Amino acid sequence: MASSSKPILYVSNRQVVVVGDIVASGDVIIDSPNYLQKLSDGRVIATVTGLIDIEESENTVRLRVIPLKGRYIPKEGDIVIGIVTDIGVTAWFLDIRAPFPGVLNAADYLGRPFNPASESLRKYLDVGDVVIAKIAQYDRTRDPILTVQDKDLGKVVEGSLIEIEPSRVPRVIGKKRSMINMLMEETGCKIIVGNNGRILLRCPNPEIEAIAILAIKKIEEEAHTMGLTERVRDFIIEQKVRRGLIGHGSG
Amino acid sequence: MVVGKEKPKLIVNGKRVDGRAPEELRPVRMEVGVLKNADGSALVEYGNTKVLAAVYGPREVMPKHVALPDRAVIRCRYRMLSFSAEERKSPAPSRREIELSKVIREALEPAIMSELFPRTAIDIFIEVLNADGGTRTAGVTAASLALADAGIPLRDLVAGVAVGKVDGVLVLDINQIEDMYGEADMPVAAMPSLGRITLLQLNGVLTPDEFRQALALALYGIRKLYDLQKEALRRKYISTAEE
């Protein structure tokens, strides 16, 4: 057992850490075991480039690194936006920007038993179709199984699709959905964010859509900075004024 | 009669052919995220040696049967471009390149937390744009930066440098001429924060004492390169924060 010692922090909250940075030493609780490692001498070092999140209470220090880059790795319960790439006999294969294809079974999509002898899957979803789905099963030994049997899931018929870095998705959503709610409020768009970094926008007009996309791209670029929600709100208002959608000083 | 090039004097008044002190690195430049299509990329220069590294993944393994059930497969290709050396290098993979690909892969494997990505592939491409000695160590340094840029968890960054013995003196970061006419060449790569060596080769002859000194010199150079690597990674995010 490691000898207990008072934790010493070498970084401040929300600071950018890079691979190999010594973050702390002593007794700390690590909430992101893949991104922080404890060495035998008690030092804690980062394994990715990201933001450090420090939670200090009376006698414990919790550490977490929020990575700034990285591919999407599926997780059960994630909402993903997939594009059909292949059609099998009883299932569709979707590109979900992960190292594995997402499998959407016909019986799940149709909500009834499917007989491949009597009908073709192409009738329902073709290659290139966009589907909002949830990851139902994924255990690393098999490809992730998708489901559309839940609210707001299924084939997408309208809207615009944009892609961002999957690691920045939490920032686009914000703490307690603060960022995404602000975006929808300010722009009037309906925004669906997939955990795999695909975002679907349904906006009242193209002008507003352009502003919403610019705002999302701004969040993506500045994901590692502080006070972002307010900056993005100002940015949207400024863009609206510039495009003549609202007057000066109003609202 | 064979007319060979005469061996030049490699140490004059304690200075090397390019005017460096024995324990001095060449001017180093590192840049991260230079390629758009790659998940991670880096450009590293040790003097005239210039190496570009690109990383893709973790991604789907093609062909599927090479996938491993418990970790990612790491594939590495080291290549020297036709125009990288003084005489045109045939673009076909040579024995040397195939071997160096393996050696570099093995130098990086201990750093990559491949067990986090079972059934996937991580592809590393290292292209030597200009060769002037120390390309394998520059390749390791560039590849580990590219891996970090791709967001792949690493136990530590890997940095590499070669130590040589020329005219009886141990020198750090040898260039092409010193490599050609020197008595020994020892490339080393290590993970400084963990204190682990991941690559150690020796070409030529060193006494046990010289070997110890040479290793210490290499680790001193690696420590410096390691700090430059971290700075390069950090620079990418600090610059966008200030806009």
Side-chain angles (χ1 to χ4, degrees):
Chain A
M1 215 182 103
S3 62
S4 70
S5 53
K6 228 182 132 42
I8 310 161
L9 291 170
Y10 298 105
V11 289
S12 49
N13 202 7
R14 290 268 141 196
Q15 189 181 316
V16 173
V17 292
V18 302
V19 181
D21 273 356
I22 300 165
V23 173
S25 64
D27 274 348
V28 291
I29 298 164
I30 294 168
D31 283 333
S32 58
N34 294 346
Y35 306 134
L36 286 169
Q37 58 175 342
K38 204 169 211 172
L39 304 184
S40 51
D41 58 1
R43 287 181 299 163
V44 176
I45 69 175
T47 64
V48 289
T49 307
L51 293 176
I52 186 91
D53 193 61
I54 305 170
E55 258 179 62
E56 271 178 285
S57 60
E58 296 130 56
N59 41 24
T60 55
V61 176
R62 303 184 84 91
L63 294 176
R64 191 163 63 106
V65 170
I66 304 153
L68 285 166
K69 235 181 150 187
R71 283 268 174 118
Y72 172 67
I73 301 296
K75 211 166 75 249
E76 273 179 27
D78 275 4
I79 301 291
V80 294
I81 301 181
I83 299 173
V84 179
T85 54
D86 205 359
I87 300 170
V89 181
T90 60
W92 290 276
F93 296 95
L94 275 68
D95 163 40
I96 54 169
R97 299 180 84 199
F100 327 98
V103 181
L104 179 60
N105 285 316
D108 180 274
Y109 182 77
L110 300 170
R112 59 171 166 83
F114 174 75
N115 178 12
S118 62
E119 51 184 342
S120 158
L121 282 182
R122 213 170 283 268
K123 213 167 86 191
Y124 305 101
L125 285 174
D126 207 345
V127 170
D129 281 347
V130 177
V131 179
I132 302 173
K134 194 166 83 179
I135 299 195
Q137 270 175 51
Y138 173 61
D139 60 4
R140 294 170 153 240
T141 58
R142 257 169 291 166
D143 291 335
I145 309 288
L146 306 176
T147 176
V148 292
Q149 296 300 330
D150 211 342
K151 201 172 150 265
D152 294 328
L153 303 180
K155 185 178 172 180
V156 174
V157 286
E158 55 163 2
S160 302
L161 194 64
I162 61 168
E163 286 190 350
I164 63 164
E165 191 69 46
S167 57
R168 315 272 160 102
V169 165
R171 226 29 227 227
V172 173
I173 293 167
K175 277 216 171 88
K176 290 183 191 135
R177 296 183 63 82
S178 59
M179 183 72 87
I180 189 82
N181 285 340
M182 184 276 292
L183 277 174
M184 293 206 267
E185 216 171 273
E186 291 292 333
T187 60
C189 301
K190 181 147 175 33
I191 303 170
I192 297 157
V193 185
N195 290 88
N196 58 345
R198 287 206 178 105
I199 299 177
L200 185 74
L201 296 147
R202 285 190 201 117
C203 293
N205 65 60
E207 199 89 32
I208 279 280
E209 186 183 286
I211 295 173
I213 292 171
L214 284 174
I216 291 168
K217 287 284 165 195
K218 188 181 168 71
I219 301 168
E220 186 192 6
E221 245 161 63
E222 298 174 21
H224 56 291
T225 59
M226 302 223 264
L228 194 54
T229 313
E230 283 318 303
R231 264 214 315 289
V232 173
R233 187 195 299 273
D234 293 345
F235 173 81
I236 294 170
I237 294 170
E238 184 204 311
Q239 287 288 322
K240 278 191 194 162
V241 172
R242 190 180 294 169
R243 287 158 200 257
L245 295 173
I246 53 169
H248 288 277
S250 71
Chain B
M1 202 175 109
V2 183
V3 186
K5 269 194 201 159
E6 217 172 287
K7 179 179 171 291
K9 267 202 88 64
L10 294 173
I11 305 269
V12 181
N13 296 332
K15 294 269 182 199
R16 296 203 254 158
V17 275
D18 50 6
R20 278 185 289 159
E23 67 288 347
E24 199 178 329
L25 289 169
R26 287 176 280 183
V28 177
R29 189 170 84 99
M30 293 182 190
E31 210 175 313
V32 163
V34 287
L35 302 175
K36 187 141 193 334
N37 287 350
D39 291 315
S41 58
L43 183 69
V44 168
E45 283 177 42
Y46 289 2
N48 290 327
T49 293
K50 191 168 188 170
V51 178
L52 185 64
V55 165
Y56 293 83
R59 65 177 176 184
E60 215 175 334
V61 193
M62 285 297 173
K64 260 191 166 149
H65 67 86
V66 302
L68 299 171
D70 59 337
R71 62 194 156 95
V73 271
I74 297 159
R75 296 182 288 200
C76 178
R77 195 189 66 184
Y78 163 96
R79 207 168 88 95
M80 272 170 77
L81 293 172
S82 301
F83 54 79
S84 65
E86 231 155 90
E87 224 164 282
R88 179 178 184 277
K89 198 221 140 266
S90 159
S94 62
R95 193 216 96 248
R96 180 179 171 275
E97 285 170 302
I98 295 166
E99 181 185 321
L100 284 189
S101 300
K102 173 185 174 286
V103 164
I104 292 172
R105 193 193 71 227
E106 289 175 350
L108 296 167
E109 265 174 344
I112 303 170
M113 297 170 85
S114 57
E115 66 281 3
L116 299 178
F117 307 107
R119 297 194 306 124
T120 65
I122 296 170
D123 291 314
I124 305 163
F125 299 94
I126 297 164
E127 301 281 340
V128 177
L129 307 181
N130 201 67
D132 186 23
T135 57
R136 79 191 67 186
T137 49
V140 169
T141 308
S144 87
L145 269 180
L147 284 163
D149 183 43
I152 295 166
L154 300 175
R155 279 175 250 275
D156 198 6
L157 289 167
V158 187
V161 74
V163 172
K165 186 180 163 192
V166 296
D167 289 357
V169 182
L170 289 176
V171 294
L172 185 61
D173 193 14
I174 56 170
N175 62 26
Q176 190 79 59
I177 301 168
E178 290 171 328
D179 187 14
M180 258 161 70
Y181 298 105
E183 296 105 75
D185 165 25
M186 184 171 90
V188 183
M191 300 189 280
S193 284
L194 306 181
R196 287 200 182 152
I197 292 168
T198 65
L199 172 106
L200 181 61
Q201 293 180 303
L202 175 57
N203 209 332
V205 180
L206 291 177
T207 64
D209 239 12
E210 280 173 335
F211 170 76
R212 267 175 230 119
Q213 283 174 34
L215 190 60
L217 188 58
L219 293 175
Y220 158 81
I222 286 169
R223 193 78 225 186
K224 281 193 159 181
L225 290 163
Y226 181 69
D227 291 338
L228 290 168
Q229 280 181 311
K230 281 194 183 178
E231 196 193 305
L233 282 172
R234 208 166 271 134
R235 203 159 49 220
K236 189 179 162 190
Y237 290 100
I238 304 303
S239 61
T240 46
E242 280 168 357
E243 267 166 27

